[in-house]
Amino acid sequence: MSAPIEVSETYDKVLVVDFGAQYAQLIARRIREAKVFSEIVPSTMPVAEMLARRPKAIVLSGGPSSVYAEGAPQVDPSVFEAGVPTFGICYGFQAMARALGGEVRRTGLSEFGATPLRVTGAGSVLFAGLPDAQSVWMSHGDSVWSAPTGFVVTASSDGAHVAAFEDVSRGLAGVQFHPEVVHTPYGQRVLEHFLYDVAGCRPTWTMVNIVEDQVERIRALVGGKRAICGLSGGVDSAVAAALVQRAIGDRLTCVFVDHGLLRKGEAEQVERDFVASTGVRLKVVDAASRFLSALDGVRDPEDKRKIIGREFIRVFEHAAREVVAESEAHGETVEFLVQGTLYPDVVESGGGEGAANIKSHHNVGGLPDDLQFQLVEPLRTLFKDEVRRVGEELGLPPEIVWRQPFPGPGLAIRVVGAVTADRLSVLREADAIARAELSLAGLDRDIWQCPVVLLADVRSVGVQGDGRTYGHPVVLRPVSSEDAMTADWARVPYDVLARISTRITNEVREINRVVLDVTSKPPGTIEWE
């Protein structure tokens, strides 16, 4: 059962109604960057249910459909009669116009990508203080042909002579373009004008307030009981544990299962730096040999994941029983399990309605019936970038806060082929070199992550020291992303790539080739396995 740690009613809340746009999460992020809390709801949610959440404003997202297509999601006109300021974006703009009596047409003048925009409305609130001519990011086939009664048209483009409108007296406005993407330079300003000047939202969603609010709520929820947390070494579980530890102190015990599949130095860093910065009680379980034995001869990546998940649950279960027994011996009970679930996890699992969807392995699932805990998920409302800022506010070391995302199954799925201790050692050294050089070049925060993949079953001829070699290749997979749902390969400077390649082939004798993966996601995933 998931413990109800929600967002305080003291924050203004904006609902982002998702019409199937790839940008719905990005809109929510941009609203939060304006220091206003946002959450995503499906377009199928009844208006009464939306209003029950007491939003300060509603944003209608874009979507892939035509408003005239059969089965296309529509806006219930009653939402505009509720007195809640509403902002339409792209498809949401067209659906809003149609629901209010405006006209949407397929004009044959589609616009995709960077598009010149002309601000035409004198006294516009959305475009106040912004240039009359600017570039925006468009993605539409249909266009609003005429604005609803009472609206002032405030911008146009060659393909959309109604590219923005507003009726400030009713708190209603919309734009045809995407203000949330970086390709619309003034987009964040437009969004903030709606939030602050049309909807009257207060910019109080700050990391200091979030920490204080969540600490108070966790303290009230857990009371005098104890909690346990599975610490993976990643930023999510580390920040979740640090928040709970700030709230209940030594009544939290963290269990760190060292499966032997982490990168070089990470296990030691968890044991040393995390404990030093938080003072948390840490129980370390060295299970490396157990995991290696279970993985012996396994090549299929999905089999690897299942085996690692199964073994992790078994090891954690044993450690949890020990923690429970020790607590009961002192007359205390362990009733809560802390997890680092993030908001994208909640959205992608159906919005978090009902029981929590617990992922295998790094989110501990499948525990036996006699080990029942309430889940405490203090990061459940946060995006990854917000989690990092909370980690900084809690005083966690930068090496933990800014650690690149790392898969729960660890290096096992970055060894393409069977996993052995020797292969893990080779990959660990190559990975450490790549990370060190990227850090030295100041690229740590520009690159989402850079998996190094060992093609363990592939060998190629090389020459080193005037001698023939028959070594393995490794693949560098640097990617840029905001949430890992989509990604592009990162354009790492050639001189940095050259240093990484030279060092790996010089210092890791088993490797004689370094290659670069330049595939975006989609079609390729970030991890190879």
Side-chain angles (χ1 to χ4, degrees):
M1 180 172 58
S2 181
I5 295 195
E6 301 296 342
V7 176
S8 170
E9 292 295 332
T10 60
Y11 298 112
D12 287 338
K13 178 189 299 183
V14 175
L15 298 185
V16 178
V17 181
D18 184 4
F19 285 101
Q22 59 179 320
Y23 295 123
Q25 287 198 34
L26 186 54
I27 295 170
R29 290 165 62 94
R30 295 295 182 243
I31 293 171
R32 293 183 184 204
E33 287 173 12
K35 299 179 180 176
V36 180
F37 177 69
S38 63
E39 64 176 329
I40 300 168
V41 298
S43 61
T44 54
M45 178 178 284
V47 170
E49 191 174 334
M50 292 183 193
L51 298 179
R53 300 193 180 204
R54 301 174 63 184
K56 185 73 173 179
I58 293 173
V59 174
L60 309 175
S61 85
S65 303
S66 163
V67 292
Y68 294 114
E70 184 176 353
Q74 302 295 334
V75 178
D76 183 342
S78 67
V79 73
F80 306 114
E81 300 166 5
V84 178
T86 303
F87 186 57
I89 294 175
C90 195
Y91 179 88
F93 171 65
Q94 296 172 8
M96 180 180 190
R98 188 176 185 219
L100 288 167
E103 184 181 2
V104 179
R105 291 185 183 178
R106 181 169 292 277
T107 63
L109 298 173
S110 301
E111 292 175 313
F112 298 96
T115 304
L117 183 81
R118 299 177 295 276
V119 177
T120 57
S124 165
V125 175
L126 291 181
F127 297 101
L130 301 182
D132 290 340
Q134 51 185 276
S135 179
V136 297
W137 192 260
M138 291 281 199
S139 181
H140 70 98
D142 297 347
S143 299
V144 176
W145 186 255
S146 61
T149 302
F151 282 78
V152 176
V153 177
T154 55
S156 65
S157 67
D158 289 345
H161 68 269
V162 180
F165 57 41
E166 53 194 74
D167 182 348
V168 177
S169 65
R170 289 195 289 165
L172 304 177
V175 294
Q176 180 61 69
F177 57 88
H178 287 278
E180 72 276 13
V181 302
V182 295
H183 309 293
T184 301
Y186 296 102
Q188 186 68 12
R189 294 275 299 278
V190 171
L191 192 55
E192 290 176 359
H193 283 161
F194 169 74
L195 294 171
Y196 303 152
D197 304 326
V198 177
C201 295
R202 298 165 299 164
T204 55
W205 178 253
T206 66
M207 295 308 109
V208 173
N209 290 343
I210 291 169
V211 170
E212 292 175 348
D213 184 55
Q214 289 296 77
V215 165
E216 180 180 333
R217 287 169 172 268
I218 294 165
R219 193 173 288 147
L221 175 70
V222 176
K225 304 296 190 345
R226 299 191 62 84
I228 188 171
C229 177
L231 196 64
S232 69
V235 62
D236 302 341
S237 64
V239 173
L243 256 177
V244 175
Q245 197 275 339
R246 173 75 65 91
I248 66 173
D250 63 6
R251 284 182 288 113
L252 171 71
T253 300
C254 288
V255 174
F256 172 52
V257 177
D258 183 0
H259 52 27
L261 304 172
L262 293 176
R263 292 172 289 194
K264 186 175 182 178
E266 286 187 332
E268 296 81 4
Q269 190 177 68
V270 171
E271 295 185 53
R272 181 188 65 243
D273 296 345
F274 184 73
V275 173
S277 62
T278 63
V280 75
R281 295 174 61 172
L282 182 65
K283 181 181 182 67
V284 179
V285 182
D286 184 355
S289 59
R290 174 174 181 156
F291 279 82
L292 267 180
S293 296
L295 290 167
D296 186 30
V298 178
R299 298 173 182 275
D300 182 83
E302 190 56 29
D303 288 343
K304 291 179 186 177
R305 290 178 182 272
K306 289 177 180 177
I307 289 168
I308 293 167
R310 180 194 70 209
E311 294 302 315
F312 186 89
I313 290 169
R314 289 175 177 173
V315 173
F316 184 85
E317 174 194 345
H318 181 74
R321 289 189 187 281
E322 292 183 342
V323 172
V324 168
E326 292 167 5
S327 299
E328 289 177 345
H330 292 87
E332 299 175 308
T333 58
V334 182
E335 293 188 6
F336 298 90
L337 173 64
V338 179
Q339 287 191 169
T341 309
L342 304 191
Y343 192 51
D345 300 328
V346 176
V347 173
E348 290 160 22
S349 64
E353 302 296 330
N357 183 31
I358 307 170
K359 297 179 181 178
S360 63
H361 184 58
H362 74 281
N363 281 341
V364 182
L367 292 176
D369 291 340
D370 61 340
L371 269 179
Q372 292 187 340
F373 301 107
Q374 281 196 79
L375 291 183
V376 178
E377 299 173 306
L379 311 179
R380 189 178 174 84
T381 59
L382 303 182
F383 287 102
K384 176 75 79 171
D385 53 335
E386 293 174 317
V387 171
R388 294 191 194 281
R389 295 202 297 274
V390 167
E392 290 179 321
E393 183 64 30
L394 290 167
L396 292 181
E399 295 79 12
I400 291 178
V401 172
W402 290 98
R403 178 169 290 161
Q404 292 182 355
F406 190 59
L411 296 179
I413 59 168
R414 293 183 179 176
V415 174
V416 178
V419 180
T420 67
D422 288 343
R423 288 175 171 184
L424 287 171
S425 178
V426 169
L427 179 54
R428 234 177 237 117
E429 293 303 320
D431 175 84
I433 290 169
R435 285 190 290 138
E437 289 298 332
L438 291 172
S439 295
L440 192 63
L443 298 174
D444 274 347
R445 302 189 187 184
D446 296 327
I447 295 175
W448 174 261
Q449 60 176 305
C450 183
V452 178
V453 182
L454 175 66
L455 304 184
D457 289 340
V458 177
R459 288 181 178 271
S460 64
V461 174
V463 58
Q464 289 171 297
D466 296 325
R468 179 183 182 277
T469 64
Y470 195 49
H472 298 289
V474 291
V475 180
L476 303 181
R477 175 68 164 133
V479 295
S480 58
S481 180
E482 286 199 322
D483 52 21
M485 295 182 69
T486 60
D488 193 12
W489 65 279
R491 274 60 168 177
V492 178
Y494 290 151
D495 58 333
V496 178
L497 292 173
R499 286 197 300 272
I500 292 172
S501 177
T502 300
R503 282 196 59 192
I504 288 177
T505 53
N506 282 349
E507 299 174 32
V508 188
R509 301 297 294 178
E510 296 86 350
I511 297 173
N512 64 358
R513 288 184 191 272
V514 177
V515 300
L516 180 67
D517 184 345
V518 295
T519 313
S520 63
K521 176 188 177 181
T525 56
I526 293 177
E527 299 291 343
W528 272 46
E529 289 207 337

